[in-house]
Amino acid sequence: MHVSRKSSIKAGISFLAYAGIAISIILFFLGGYRVRVLAEECPHFSSNGWVSYSPDRTAFTIGYGDRSTQIYDYSKRGLTITLFGITGPEELGEGQHYFEKLVVGETRVGYWKMNHPQGQCIHSATSDYRISALDKMGSNRGNCFRFYNAGWLPFCAVCEKMAANCLFYITEQMALSTAYLPSGTAYSNYFYLCPYDNSLENYVPTNHKCIFVSDNKYKVIYNSNDSEASGSMEADWFMYNNSVEYEGAVIDVGEKLSECVYSVAGKSFLGWSNRPDGEVLFSDEQDWISVQEVIDAGALTDKSSIRLYAVWEQDPEPESIVETKIIDVDNTFGLSAYIVRNLRDKDMRDSFIRGEAGTLYIYAEGDIDYLSVEFPKEMNSYSAVLDYTDEAENFVEETVEFVIPLTGIPDETDSICIKVTAYKEEKVVSCYPMAVIIPGQSILDGLRTGLR
């Protein structure tokens, strides 16, 4: 039997066509039918040509089939239209985290997914809405149960969550043509009108919360690191790299560590460490940028608490300005005296300046009768006689508080000498402790500098 070449070609084409249809059906039932399109080719919702507004433009419906009886029944949920060309979330950098906030403006759609193959009019579903502008859109509040376009759900291109928690009754052409939905304002609502009698069919807000990137902030807690410490310090907040914005809002944060206000008797503050037994890593009021580098803040999660521990050093025992003077007579009678500044600087300076206070310590042995203390004539107000004739004590300890006067002592004076004398019957013993004064310096100098 002879078969013409034309018949063979037709048979081949028919075979390919049927094979293509068969493959499409198989792919559909295996994984659902997916349509892909570039998002850059899709207009914004508000400027889309498939949108039809009501006469007063307060509501709209979408899809060219909204006034026809054409039905788009895809027979199966899951049809997906993927929109390419829209980037996802910004990648996190060091010291950053994701946060969620309401999108204001437009939500970028990554794909549309059919959730309801057919729509069916049920106007009573919206009968509770009291929007005067919408009351004019048809008077039918009954259920007409007529079918129209299928219902789709939009999914955000950034976070892949639903961009609006409602069905969009639109045509496939509309889904293929829309990549941006309004969001974040009181007017970002989706309306759908019944294709047959213009009644309001659907009214849902399209607000969407999406993920964004923000720098981290950290809580710095100051620990006194000594059970005997006095004072208290509030925690501070700092931003990574001294950023001033946190999750979209400008906040008030620090740029350097707080000044240490803890104090421990007999100890000096050296600085801060990141461990209770650690070495000094940070000085008082050190800038935050250098602190974050040492502790590697970029590896910490947002709102991490960073504890800094005060480092202390034991103060040396108070020393006399001159060596202790001891005079012993027949090993039965002794006297010693020395002077100490009441206020000691961090550098342990032992020299007085005018206006500073000091203490004279006196120790006497041998059951003395009385003591006399003689300050220089410029300071005679501190001189005294201490009587012990009615007391039988083998050891006497006395202290005399005094202040180096601001005026009265010549400016060039570099020391003062105090005479301490002990009396016991006919025995008399004296010692002469001295206090070094820095010529010309006064506590008023620092006050004047501060006031400037």
Side-chain angles (χ1 to χ4, degrees), residues 137-173:
M137 298 175 195
S139 58
N140 180 14
R141 294 299 180 193
N143 300 340
C144 72
F145 295 113
R146 297 178 70 175
F147 291 95
Y148 52 91
N149 296 326
W152 300 72
L153 289 172
F155 290 83
C156 177
V158 175
C159 64
E160 297 188 354
K161 295 179 181 179
M162 279 192 295
N165 190 20
C166 63
L167 286 173
F168 282 68
Y169 290 100
I170 59 179
T171 63
E172 181 179 354
Q173 287 85 350

Coordinates of all heavy atoms in Angstrom, one line a residue, residues 137-173:
M137 N -23.4 50.9 45.1 CA -23.0 49.9 44.1 C -23.9 48.7 44.1 O -23.6 47.6 44.5 CB -21.6 49.4 44.4 CG -20.6 50.6 44.3 SD -19.0 50.1 44.8 CE -18.2 51.6 45.0
G138 N -25.1 48.9 43.6 CA -26.1 47.8 43.5 C -26.9 47.7 44.7 O -26.4 47.9 45.8
S139 N -28.1 47.2 44.6 CA -29.0 47.0 45.7 C -29.2 45.6 46.1 O -29.8 45.3 47.1 CB -30.3 47.7 45.4 OG -30.9 47.1 44.3
N140 N -28.6 44.7 45.3 CA -28.9 43.3 45.6 C -27.9 42.8 46.7 O -26.7 42.8 46.6 CB -28.6 42.5 44.3 CG -28.8 41.0 44.5 OD1 -29.4 40.6 45.5 ND2 -28.4 40.2 43.6
R141 N -28.5 42.4 47.8 CA -27.7 41.8 48.9 C -28.1 40.3 49.1 O -27.8 39.8 50.1 CB -28.0 42.5 50.2 CG -27.5 44.0 50.2 CD -26.1 44.1 50.0 NE -25.6 45.4 49.9 CZ -24.4 45.8 49.5 NH1 -23.5 44.9 49.1 NH2 -24.0 47.1 49.6
G142 N -28.6 39.7 48.1 CA -28.9 38.3 48.1 C -27.8 37.5 47.6 O -26.7 38.0 47.2
N143 N -27.9 36.2 47.5 CA -27.0 35.2 47.0 C -27.4 34.9 45.6 O -28.4 34.2 45.4 CB -26.9 34.0 47.8 CG -26.4 34.3 49.3 OD1 -25.9 35.3 49.5 ND2 -26.7 33.4 50.2
C144 N -26.6 35.3 44.6 CA -27.0 34.9 43.2 C -26.3 33.6 42.8 O -26.8 33.0 41.9 CB -26.7 36.0 42.2 SG -24.9 36.2 41.9
F145 N -25.2 33.2 43.4 CA -24.6 32.0 43.2 C -24.1 31.8 41.8 O -23.9 30.6 41.3 CB -25.5 30.8 43.6 CG -25.7 30.8 45.1 CD1 -27.0 31.0 45.6 CD2 -24.7 30.5 46.0 CE1 -27.3 31.0 46.9 CE2 -25.0 30.5 47.4 CZ -26.3 30.7 47.8
R146 N -23.9 32.8 41.0 CA -23.4 32.7 39.7 C -21.9 32.7 39.7 O -21.3 33.2 40.6 CB -23.9 33.9 38.8 CG -25.4 33.9 38.7 CD -25.9 35.1 37.9 NE -25.5 34.9 36.5 CZ -25.9 35.8 35.5 NH1 -26.7 36.8 35.8 NH2 -25.6 35.6 34.3
F147 N -21.3 32.0 38.8 CA -19.8 31.8 38.8 C -19.1 32.9 38.0 O -19.7 33.5 37.0 CB -19.5 30.5 38.1 CG -20.0 29.3 39.0 CD1 -21.2 28.7 38.7 CD2 -19.1 28.8 40.0 CE1 -21.6 27.6 39.5 CE2 -19.5 27.8 40.8 CZ -20.8 27.2 40.5
Y148 N -17.9 33.2 38.5 CA -17.1 34.2 37.7 C -15.6 33.8 37.9 O -15.3 32.6 38.2 CB -17.3 35.6 38.2 CG -17.3 35.8 39.7 CD1 -16.1 36.2 40.3 CD2 -18.4 35.7 40.5 CE1 -16.0 36.4 41.7 CE2 -18.3 35.9 41.9 CZ -17.1 36.2 42.5 OH -17.0 36.4 43.8
N149 N -14.7 34.7 37.8 CA -13.3 34.3 37.7 C -12.8 33.6 39.0 O -13.3 33.8 40.1 CB -12.4 35.6 37.6 CG -12.7 36.3 36.3 OD1 -13.0 35.6 35.3 ND2 -12.6 37.6 36.2
A150 N -11.7 32.8 38.8 CA -11.1 32.0 39.9 C -10.5 32.9 40.9 O -10.1 34.1 40.6 CB -10.1 31.0 39.3
G151 N -10.3 32.4 42.1 CA -9.7 33.1 43.2 C -8.2 32.8 43.4 O -7.8 31.7 43.5
W152 N -7.4 33.9 43.5 CA -5.9 33.7 43.6 C -5.4 34.3 44.9 O -6.0 35.3 45.4 CB -5.2 34.4 42.4 CG -5.6 33.9 41.1 CD1 -6.7 34.1 40.4 CD2 -4.7 33.2 40.2 NE1 -6.7 33.6 39.2 CE2 -5.5 33.0 39.0 CE3 -3.4 32.7 40.3 CZ2 -5.0 32.3 37.9 CZ3 -2.9 32.0 39.2 CH2 -3.7 31.8 38.0
L153 N -4.3 33.8 45.4 CA -3.6 34.4 46.5 C -2.2 34.9 46.1 O -1.5 34.2 45.3 CB -3.3 33.3 47.6 CG -4.6 32.8 48.4 CD1 -4.2 31.7 49.3 CD2 -5.2 34.0 49.2
P154 N -1.9 36.2 46.5 CA -0.5 36.7 46.2 C 0.5 36.4 47.3 O 0.2 36.4 48.5 CB -0.8 38.2 46.1 CG -1.9 38.4 47.1 CD -2.7 37.2 47.2
F155 N 1.7 36.1 46.9 CA 2.8 35.8 47.8 C 3.9 36.8 47.6 O 4.3 37.0 46.5 CB 3.2 34.3 47.7 CG 2.2 33.3 48.2 CD1 1.2 32.9 47.3 CD2 2.3 32.8 49.4 CE1 0.3 32.0 47.8 CE2 1.3 31.9 49.9 CZ 0.3 31.5 49.0
C156 N 4.4 37.3 48.7 CA 5.5 38.3 48.7 C 6.8 37.8 48.1 O 7.2 36.7 48.4 CB 5.7 38.9 50.1 SG 7.1 40.1 50.2
A157 N 7.4 38.6 47.3 CA 8.7 38.1 46.6 C 9.8 38.2 47.6 O 10.8 37.5 47.4 CB 9.0 39.1 45.5
V158 N 9.7 38.9 48.7 CA 10.8 39.1 49.7 C 10.7 38.0 50.8 O 11.7 37.3 51.0 CB 10.7 40.5 50.4 CG1 11.8 40.6 51.4 CG2 10.9 41.6 49.3
C159 N 9.6 37.9 51.5 CA 9.5 36.9 52.6 C 8.7 35.7 52.2 O 8.7 34.7 53.0 CB 8.9 37.6 53.8 SG 7.2 38.1 53.5
E160 N 8.1 35.7 51.1 CA 7.3 34.5 50.6 C 6.1 34.2 51.4 O 5.5 33.2 51.2 CB 8.2 33.3 50.5 CG 9.4 33.4 49.5 CD 10.1 32.1 49.2 OE1 9.8 31.1 49.9 OE2 11.0 32.1 48.4
K161 N 5.7 35.1 52.3 CA 4.4 35.0 53.0 C 3.3 35.6 52.1 O 3.6 36.4 51.2 CB 4.5 35.7 54.3 CG 5.5 35.1 55.3 CD 5.5 35.8 56.6 CE 6.5 35.2 57.6 NZ 6.5 36.0 58.9
M162 N 2.1 35.3 52.5 CA 0.9 35.9 51.7 C 1.0 37.4 51.8 O 1.1 38.0 52.9 CB -0.4 35.4 52.2 CG -0.8 34.0 51.7 SD -2.5 33.6 52.1 CE -2.5 33.5 53.8
A163 N 0.9 38.1 50.7 CA 1.0 39.5 50.6 C -0.3 40.1 51.0 O -0.4 41.3 51.4 CB 1.4 40.0 49.2
A164 N -1.4 39.4 50.9 CA -2.7 39.8 51.4 C -3.5 38.6 51.7 O -3.6 37.6 50.9 CB -3.4 40.6 50.3
N165 N -4.2 38.6 52.9 CA -4.9 37.4 53.3 C -6.3 37.4 52.8 O -7.3 37.4 53.5 CB -4.9 37.4 54.9 CG -5.4 36.1 55.4 OD1 -5.4 35.1 54.7 ND2 -5.8 36.1 56.6
C166 N -6.4 37.4 51.5 CA -7.7 37.4 50.8 C -7.5 36.8 49.4 O -6.5 36.8 48.8 CB -8.3 38.7 50.8 SG -7.4 39.9 49.8
L167 N -8.6 36.3 48.9 CA -8.7 35.8 47.5 C -8.9 37.0 46.5 O -9.8 37.8 46.7 CB -9.8 34.8 47.3 CG -9.5 33.4 48.0 CD1 -10.8 32.6 47.8 CD2 -8.4 32.7 47.3
F168 N -8.1 37.0 45.5 CA -8.2 38.0 44.4 C -8.9 37.2 43.2 O -8.4 36.3 42.7 CB -6.9 38.5 43.9 CG -6.3 39.5 44.8 CD1 -5.8 39.2 46.1 CD2 -6.2 40.8 44.4 CE1 -5.3 40.2 46.9 CE2 -5.6 41.8 45.2 CZ -5.2 41.5 46.5
Y169 N -10.2 37.6 43.0 CA -10.9 37.0 41.9 C -10.6 37.6 40.6 O -11.2 38.7 40.2 CB -12.4 37.0 42.2 CG -12.8 36.2 43.3 CD1 -13.0 36.7 44.6 CD2 -12.9 34.8 43.2 CE1 -13.3 35.9 45.7 CE2 -13.3 33.9 44.2 CZ -13.5 34.5 45.5 OH -13.8 33.7 46.5
I170 N -9.6 37.1 39.9 CA -9.0 37.7 38.7 C -8.8 36.6 37.7 O -8.8 35.4 37.9 CB -7.7 38.4 39.0 CG1 -6.7 37.4 39.6 CG2 -7.9 39.6 40.0 CD1 -5.3 38.0 39.9
T171 N -8.6 37.1 36.5 CA -8.2 36.2 35.4 C -6.8 35.9 35.4 O -6.0 36.5 36.1 CB -8.6 36.9 34.0 OG1 -7.8 38.0 33.9 CG2 -10.0 37.3 34.0
E172 N -6.4 34.9 34.6 CA -5.0 34.5 34.5 C -4.2 35.7 33.9 O -3.1 35.9 34.3 CB -4.9 33.3 33.6 CG -3.4 32.8 33.5 CD -3.3 31.6 32.6 OE1 -4.4 31.0 32.2 OE2 -2.2 31.2 32.3
Q173 N -4.8 36.4 32.9 CA -4.1 37.5 32.3 C -3.8 38.6 33.4 O -2.7 39.2 33.3 CB -5.0 38.1 31.2 CG -5.0 37.2 30.0 CD -6.1 36.2 30.1 OE1 -6.7 36.0 31.1 NE2 -6.4 35.5 29.0

